[in-house]
Amino acid sequence: MAPEFPSTPLTATDVLRGTCRWLLRAGVSPLAEVPLAGGRRADILGVDSAGRLTLVEIKISLSDLRGDRKWPDYLDHCDRFFWAVPAGLPLDDLHTPAFRPDETGLIIADRFDAESVRDAPWRALNAARRKAITLNLARRAAQRWIGLIDPESGLIGLD
């Protein structure tokens, strides 16, 4: 039986929160809204202790999912890719060839937690690209942290 939508619709922030909790338990340190080369922005990008990159694209509605034509670009920025959707969202589309179920994982999330219902396969990213993305991720995380403890820093040097 498919899960039902909660009485209060879930937002992207709710799905983000639950998904990040799942990633942390899976040994991945996540960061939200990470700019990527080529002008794209990852909803969540995380790194594990082996330096492997996991990218998660959040979709909270069928129209959002069906209208996204840019998502394949994300595959060049990670070692594995997941879709994260709210509990109750119909999943049929995500099992079709257009959404590459053999190359993508699937996470069902709410505001408190998440569960992987389809694991994402690992595909080794080019070493030079991994280094550039990882350095960007680390710098972005450090700049956000300093902005939290010293909001007056003006995030000097943020690119």
Side-chain angles (χ1 to χ4, degrees), residues 11 18 31 40 54 61 82-84 92 112 147 149 156:
T11 66
L31 190 64
R40 301 284 184 229
T54 297
S61 70
F82 282 93
W83 297 101
D92 293 343
F112 302 106
I149 64 163
I156 298 165

Side-chain angles (χ1 to χ4, degrees), residues 106-118:
L106 178 56
I107 297 167
I108 308 296
D110 62 23
R111 61 184 57 94
F112 302 106
D113 206 355
E115 175 184 0
S116 173
V117 295
R118 182 175 70 220

Side-chain angles (χ1 to χ4, degrees), residues 27-146:
V28 176
S29 298
L31 190 64
E33 297 295 322
V34 179
L36 304 169
R40 301 284 184 229
R41 180 179 300 269
D43 290 333
I44 304 172
L45 183 62
V47 62
D48 68 11
S49 63
R52 298 177 300 182
L53 298 165
T54 297
L55 194 149
V56 180
E57 178 71 359
I58 296 171
K59 295 297 176 190
I60 61 165
S61 70
L62 285 178
S63 61
D64 185 24
L65 176 68
R66 291 172 178 163
D68 186 349
R69 301 286 182 242
K70 70 186 181 320
W71 78 266
D73 296 347
Y74 294 132
L75 298 175
D76 292 333
H77 298 275
C78 61
D79 294 294
R80 69 177 178 169
F81 177 94
F82 282 93
W83 297 101
V85 299
L89 186 79
L91 303 176
D92 293 343
D93 286 35
L94 289 166
H95 298 298
T96 66
F99 292 95
R100 303 184 192 179
D102 55 330
E103 297 179 51
T104 63
L106 178 56
I107 297 167
I108 308 296
D110 62 23
R111 61 184 57 94
F112 302 106
D113 206 355
E115 175 184 0
S116 173
V117 295
R118 182 175 70 220
D119 201 19
W122 291 101
R123 296 175 344 277
L125 192 60
N126 169 285
R129 179 167 281 218
R130 178 193 327 284
K131 180 180 178 182
I133 294 168
T134 302
L135 286 173
N136 175 54
L137 180 65
R139 292 185 74 239
R140 179 84 37 195
Q143 290 164 342
R144 287 185 189 174
W145 180 80
I146 200 69

